[in-house]
Structures are given as C-alpha cells and as structure tokens.
Amino acid sequence: MLGTFKNVLFILVAISALAITSPAQKISSDPRGHEWWKHSVFYEIYPRSFADSNNDGIGDIKGIDAHLDYLRDLGVDAIWITPCYPSPQVDFGYDVSDYENIDPMYGTLNDFDHLANDARKHNIRIIMDFVLNHTSPQHQWFRDSASSRNSKHRDWYIWRDGKAPGVPPNNWISGFGGSAWQFDSTTSQYYYHFFAVGQPDLNWRNPAVENAMFDVTRFWYKRGVAGFRLDAVDLLFEDPELRDNPILEGKNDLGDPNMVNKYNDKLPEVHTELTKLRMVADEYDAVLIGETYTANREELKEYYGGRNDEIQMPMDFMFCEVNKLSAREFRAQIANVESTGGWPVYVIGNHDMARSYNRYGDGVHNDQIAKVMAGMYLTLRGTPIMYYGEELGMENNDPVRKEDVKDPIGIAGWPGEKGRDGERTPMQWNDSTNAGFSQAKPWLPVPASYKTHNVARELEDPNSVLRFYKQLLALRHHEPALLDGDYLALDQDNPDVLSYLRRYNNDAVLVVLNMSGKQQKVRFDLSAQGLASAKPITLLTTQGASSVGSIDQMSLDPFAVYIARLSR
Ligand code: TEU
Ligand code: CA
C-alpha cells in the first residue's frame, strides 16, 4: 500500500518536474491527434532580404518583427529564419562563428526574444537554421583547433597530413569549387571543408562535438524556438579512411571533375546521429526539418527513420527539382514521396535555387503558372514550406556583371554559374524606392518587376498571385479534407492536367490543375469512390466557376486551377 503511494507520489513529482523543465513545450497535437507541424504552413525568411528596420541596406530581426501581421494574415503558422548568428558572412551566415547569439547586423538576442514573444502572440512558431556540418574558422572552437596539434579542440574538426608535400589528403572536391582541403601552415596539416574554405567541417565522430551541438539546440529550444532546419545534413560524416571518391567523365559548372561523393555524402552514421538529435528535440516537442538532397525514395524514406525517430520533415527535393510544368512528372514525384509512408514536405523554391516563378514560368503566363504551382503544393497531403516572395510572384534578378556578384558560388563559377544572388533579392513590399524594403541601397538590387509585384499593390488586386495565395491558405486551414485527407491520384494518364482527390470521412476535395497552355477537357468517374453523384461546390478557381462544367464534363482554360468540395 505504502509502496503504491510512493509510486504515485514519484509519478506526480516526475510529472511536475517535466512541466517545470520544459517551459517551451506547447500542445503537441490537435484534437485529431496530429502533431502541430502537420497542420502548419511554413515560410522561409532570408533575414538579410526580408525587411530593413534601421536602413543600412540589410534586413534584420526587427524588420521581421514589424511584419508579423502580414505573415499571420497571409496564413503562415511557422517561420524558418535562415542563419542570423554572428558570422563573417563568407556564405551569408552559413559560416557561423557563435551559435548562441545574433549577429549585430541583424540585431541582438533581446531583439530575438521580442520577436519570439510577438510571434507567439501571432500564433507563429519560429524555426532556426542549424548549420551543423561546419562552422566559420572564426568560431572559437576552430581558432583553438587550428592553434596547435595538441589543442583541446584539435579533434573537433577534420585535420590530416597531405599525401605528399603540396598534395591534399584525397581527391574530394568542395561544393564551392576546388579541393575540399585547405592547408594551414600553423600546424602544417590540411583541414576539410565541404563548402567554402571559410566553412571547416566539424568532426561529428567526436562525442564532445556532439554534446556541444546538442546543447546549442537546447539553448534555442529554451528561448522558445519550435524546431530546426538542418543544413546540409547529408554531409555530417566522412569515411574514416578518407578514401578517394570515384571520378566521372566531364566537369561541373565550377570547372572541377565530376565525382560520386561516395565517401563523404549520406554515410550511414548520419542516421544514427539523427536519432540522437531527435531525442533532444523530443524533450521540447520540437520539429526537425531536413535539407535532404535525396536521389530516390529509399534515401528519402530513411530520413524519416525506421521507427519515425529521425527527421519529422525531410524536404523532398526530388519534387522540388522537377523543373518543368509537367503533370506526369509531378504525379510521379507525389506518388514517390507518398510511397515512403512518411509525411511529405513540399517545397518549390528556396535561397539556393532560381525562383519557382522563373523555373516554371514560360515568360508569358508566369502569374497564372505561379497560381498553378500554389494550387498544387498547398493542397497536397503534407506540409508546405513557402519561400518569401513566392506568394507575390517574385522573380529572379541575376547579376549581370561579375563585380556585382556576392555569392561565393557565383564568384567561383562566373559566367557559367551566376550563383544564388538572383533568388535572394529584397522582399517587395510596395512600389516605392527599393520596393519599400529599405531607404538605403539594398545589399542586392530589386528586379524592375517590383513595380507590379509587391504586397501593397497585390493586396488591392483581386486577381493577383498574393490574393490567390491568401484564399488558398485560408481554404487549407479550414477544409478538413485538405488538412487530414488522404491523397488519391485521378486521371493518371493525362499528360496535361494533374487531378487528385483529398478524402476525409464523408468529405472530399477535388483539385484539378491544367498544366498546359491549351484548353483541356477532362471527366471524372468517381463511382469507385462512392462519389458518382456528388455535387461539386466550387471552393476556388481561376476561371468562372460556371464555365468549368460538371465532373463528368469539365472544360479548363489554359493554366486553370479548379478546387471543389464534393459531398455525398
Ligand atoms: O546548402 C547545401 C547544399 O547542398 C547547397 O550548397 C547546394 O548544393 C547549392 O546551394 C546548390 O546551389 C546549404 C544552404 O542551404 C546553402 O545556402 C549553404 O551555402 C550551404 O548549405 C552551406 O552551408
Ligand atoms: Ca538593417
């Protein structure tokens, strides 16, 4: 009896201790049992380019804070802020010199706390970018590591002797061009950097690195951060023997030999590590989003973890990289991620690839095509991650002169590879100078199209891309079938029109997307779904609802989007 009482007491104490130690914890699931991130719309913010509060030409934390109303009204539930930590900015923040602070150019930790507090009031969660593969050489860990072969942090990075004088330890090539090894004369060894020379790789085989990095995540979770986007997570481990990679024919855009990154990309150890990082995340009900560049469904499936114990949200770049408006190819990629059994994560653009507006646009119907893309990735089963400005139809603005290039990839690859500046230009708020981003000259120039494609103007125009996004996001938040329904492909042989059902209990939403520039006729026989006599109630369409017709005889304008609820 006393024993039982003691047990109960112990459980009570344990529960209250849990409540005390995790103040950041929010309600983890909705009444239907879904984790919060399954019903959330994520939005990537490149802080240098979102809004400049102090008019120095560079966006900042206060700038984000000032636009939370806009994000809430748009229908955003979580923002992922790309790195805003102290950094020499060799790779615009992806070279971190202190994981537990904010770079003065972006503000202070205090500004961050304000943002976190205001975001909470707007029901917007914050996701930070975790650059876990590498640091800046200015990080105190690296400075100590480089200082002597016996330093405390020596083994926190990957140091090796060359094969011979002037010859690096192996043939590995950096993603930013040239050898992935940098000779350091202080200790006469090479250090490994998959990315720029200013981004030395951490040695994740060292438990001290692992612990320090896990503590970094706790630091932010305790500040109210709801999760992390894991940068370049494929690359955490290297072959202990550092074997040469197999060389392929030809050269890449940066002029280096093509190779298979057999010994430094997606090693099995990555998965063991992710289960540990996940355990820390679970202490705080946090979500992990992966920058996972997978080549096939097996690789993508692995990232969810054998017991769903790795990354909850691995981004599906196979979908993102379809790179043409093709119903067939999107249908195949949707089936591919659906077949993993995991919760899909759809992205159509980010700060590393040309804007979707240009990649999918035909140069004539770009606004219509932007709506088709939105009509797809915001109605599929899964979580979408938007890229800032996508909702406006922002376009790429590539540099035209080498001297204007900021991105190290563009500097190394000019003129064949112009780098990533074009997709990182300032957010277009209105049609005043610098698109309302800043009163000072912005760090990157806005494209001329800001005059028509900006928040203020598009809010006024009922046919704008922005207004379409707003309607679509509102639908997505309210239609149970769009939130929780399954995905059923329809009319699967159609090369021009992508159609599917999202079904939930007695509800179904039908999505029909004309991916061609021609009028299309489609018909659906939904008797197998028990919806043969269902009446479609139009929810959203880009053409007159009456001109569409009925489900057994539909007529679609070029690049039309048609979304309807079907009820039995
Ligand atoms: O990207 C990792 C990555 O694989 C990219 O470098 C990609 O190959 C390249 O951008 C193609 O254009 C992440 C970040 O998203 C990127 O911005 C950083 O430069 C990189 O890591 C290094 O931290
Ligand atoms: Ca600023």
Side-chain angles (χ1 to χ4, degrees):
M1 190 59 197
L2 194 66
T4 318
F5 177 72
K6 265 190 183 164
N7 283 344
V8 170
L9 196 73
F10 171 75
I11 291 167
L12 283 177
V13 169
I15 290 173
S16 52
L18 212 91
I20 291 162
T21 51
S22 25
Q25 200 144 14
K26 291 194 185 172
I27 300 159
S28 60
S29 56
D30 67 359
R32 294 194 195 96
H34 290 94
E35 294 97 329
W36 64 267
W37 44 268
K38 289 189 173 167
H39 285 180
S40 298
V41 171
F42 288 67
Y43 184 96
E44 176 187 355
I45 291 181
Y46 200 71
R48 281 184 89 79
S49 301
F50 196 61
D52 178 13
S53 73
N54 63 345
N55 293 307
D56 62 358
I58 292 170
D60 41 56
I61 299 289
K62 281 186 176 160
I64 300 173
D65 207 339
H67 290 283
L68 290 173
D69 284 353
Y70 168 75
L71 294 169
R72 183 201 46 211
D73 295 349
L74 175 60
V76 168
D77 306 291
I79 50 174
W80 146 34
I81 307 175
T82 67
C84 51
Y85 316 104
S87 158
Q89 304 288 319
V90 163
D91 189 19
F92 298 103
Y94 281 99
D95 47 323
V96 179
S97 54
D98 178 359
Y99 286 105
E100 300 185 353
N101 213 332
I102 298 291
D103 194 292
M105 78 170 71
Y106 297 128
T108 62
L109 266 180
N110 194 38
D111 294 341
F112 179 85
D113 291 341
H114 270 282
L115 172 66
N117 198 34
D118 291 342
R120 198 175 305 117
K121 290 186 202 146
H122 285 76
N123 280 321
I124 292 175
R125 286 179 164 89
I126 298 180
I127 304 297
M128 293 296 265
D129 208 313
F130 194 30
V131 189
L132 68 174
N133 176 67
H134 46 269
T135 71
S136 161
Q138 298 305 316
H139 196 292
Q140 55 175 5
W141 299 338
F142 188 84
R143 288 158 76 115
D144 180 59
S145 183
S147 67
S148 103
R149 291 196 186 199
N150 307 314
S151 70
K152 178 175 168 228
H153 294 91
R154 184 61 172 182
D155 196 34
W156 284 44
Y157 295 83
I158 323 274
W159 292 97
R160 285 293 189 289
D161 290 328
K163 271 185 183 159
V167 185
N170 65 24
N171 72 349
W172 297 354
I173 292 293
S174 156
F176 283 17
S179 169
W181 295 94
Q182 177 70 13
F183 185 72
D184 194 21
S185 56
T186 309
T187 56
S188 296
Q189 281 195 317
Y190 288 81
Y191 70 81
Y192 173 64
H193 57 94
F194 183 87
F195 295 100
V197 172
Q199 294 170 301
D201 276 50
L202 282 162
N203 175 17
W204 275 85
R205 296 186 191 274
N206 183 343
V209 168
E210 186 183 56
N211 285 329
M213 292 299 272
F214 289 176
D215 280 347
V216 168
T217 67
R218 292 190 180 97
F219 173 89
W220 291 103
Y221 292 145
K222 287 178 190 152
R223 283 200 123 79
V225 160
F228 283 98
R229 174 264 190 186
L230 308 177
D231 182 62
V233 67
D234 307 319
L235 303 165
L236 283 196
F237 286 86
E238 296 75 31
D239 176 34
E241 294 169 47
L242 303 180
R243 279 167 281 189
D244 278 345
N245 278 330
I247 305 277
L248 299 172
E249 260 178 55
K251 300 212 162 164
N252 65 22
D253 286 345
L254 301 180
D256 292 311
N258 287 320
M259 63 170 56
V260 189
N261 289 341
K262 180 173 175 186
Y263 293 114
N264 55 343
D265 190 0
K266 294 192 198 70
L267 266 55
E269 290 89 328
V270 172
H271 295 287
T272 324
E273 200 57 55
L274 283 172
T275 60
K276 300 189 201 171
L277 192 63
R278 172 65 179 274
M279 282 197 271
V280 183
D282 283 347
E283 293 168 19
Y284 297 88
D285 189 29
V287 69
L288 299 177
I289 304 174
E291 191 203 14
T292 38
Y293 275 101
T294 56
N296 52 54
R297 88 178 265 287
E298 282 67 36
E299 286 186 359
L300 181 58
K301 190 175 159 73
E302 267 190 282
Y303 272 117
Y304 290 99
R307 299 186 178 86
N308 272 322
D309 53 357
E310 294 187 31
I311 301 178
Q312 296 102 317
M313 290 177 52
M315 296 185 209
D316 178 8
F317 282 107
M318 294 174 283
F319 174 88
C320 189
E321 289 173 343
V322 165
N323 288 340
K324 58 172 176 272
L325 198 62
S326 159
R328 263 189 215 293
E329 292 200 30
F330 279 120
R331 193 179 294 122
Q333 287 310 327
I334 297 162
N336 188 56
V337 58
E338 282 280 336
S339 78
T340 65
W343 182 258
V345 179
Y346 291 109
V347 183
I348 62 170
N350 67 23
H351 64 285
D352 291 331
M353 59 186 71
R355 284 199 173 262
S356 55
Y357 193 77
N358 299 87
R359 268 184 300 121
Y360 296 102
D362 63 359
V364 181
H365 308 92
N366 285 20
D367 280 12
Q368 285 163 269
I369 293 170
K371 292 177 190 174
V372 173
M373 291 301 291
M376 173 173 60
Y377 89 111
L378 301 177
T379 63
L380 286 169
R381 188 189 78 98
T383 298
I385 306 180
M386 301 167 58
Y387 183 47
Y388 82 95
E390 210 158 65
E391 73 276 23
L392 305 177
M394 263 177 68
E395 66 178 12
N396 248 65
N397 195 26
D398 288 328
V400 283
R401 304 181 311 174
K402 185 176 181 184
E403 54 268 40
D404 296 332
V405 180
K406 302 279 196 302
D407 179 21
I409 291 187
I411 293 169
W414 192 269
E417 165 61 62
K418 294 190 167 59
R420 302 164 293 179
D421 295 345
E423 56 264 30
R424 299 173 174 181
T425 60
M427 176 71 172
Q428 295 163 194
W429 294 105
N430 55 48
D431 63 5
S432 71
T433 322
N434 305 323
F437 163 76
S438 175
Q439 282 160 34
K441 186 174 181 240
W443 78 287
L444 287 174
V446 292
S449 62
Y450 84 93
K451 286 279 180 195
T452 51
H453 290 73
N454 63 65
V455 172
R457 186 170 172 148
E458 291 192 43
L459 282 177
E460 308 269 282
D461 173 4
N463 292 319
S464 68
V465 178
L466 178 59
R467 288 279 288 270
F468 188 76
Y469 262 83
K470 287 187 77 160
Q471 294 173 63
L472 200 46
L473 289 172
L475 258 189
R476 191 195 152 86
H477 282 105
H478 295 118
E479 283 298 318
L482 289 181
L483 289 170
D484 297 318
D486 66 359
Y487 164 85
L488 184 75
L490 299 174
D491 196 18
Q492 294 216 49
D493 295 323
N494 196 320
D496 300 307
V497 182
L498 184 72
S499 315
Y500 47 90
L501 276 185
R502 298 286 316 281
R503 297 179 304 182
Y504 184 75
N505 294 345
N506 281 331
D507 272 317
V509 166
L510 170 70
V511 180
V512 187
L513 306 161
N514 184 357
M515 296 199 159
S516 81
K518 295 202 178 88
Q519 193 81 22
Q520 298 288 341
K521 294 222 180 310
V522 287
R523 52 192 315 272
F524 303 106
D525 175 3
L526 301 179
S527 46
Q529 286 76 43
L531 291 163
S533 54
K535 289 257 172 307
I537 299 157
T538 305
L539 297 171
L540 184 61
T541 178
T542 54
Q543 75 186 72
S546 56
S547 66
V548 176
S550 58
I551 55 170
D552 51 13
Q553 209 167 7
M554 243 180 220
S555 177
L556 300 160
D557 288 349
F559 306 113
V561 176
Y562 178 73
I563 303 173
R565 186 193 300 130
L566 302 175
S567 296
R568 274 179 244 251

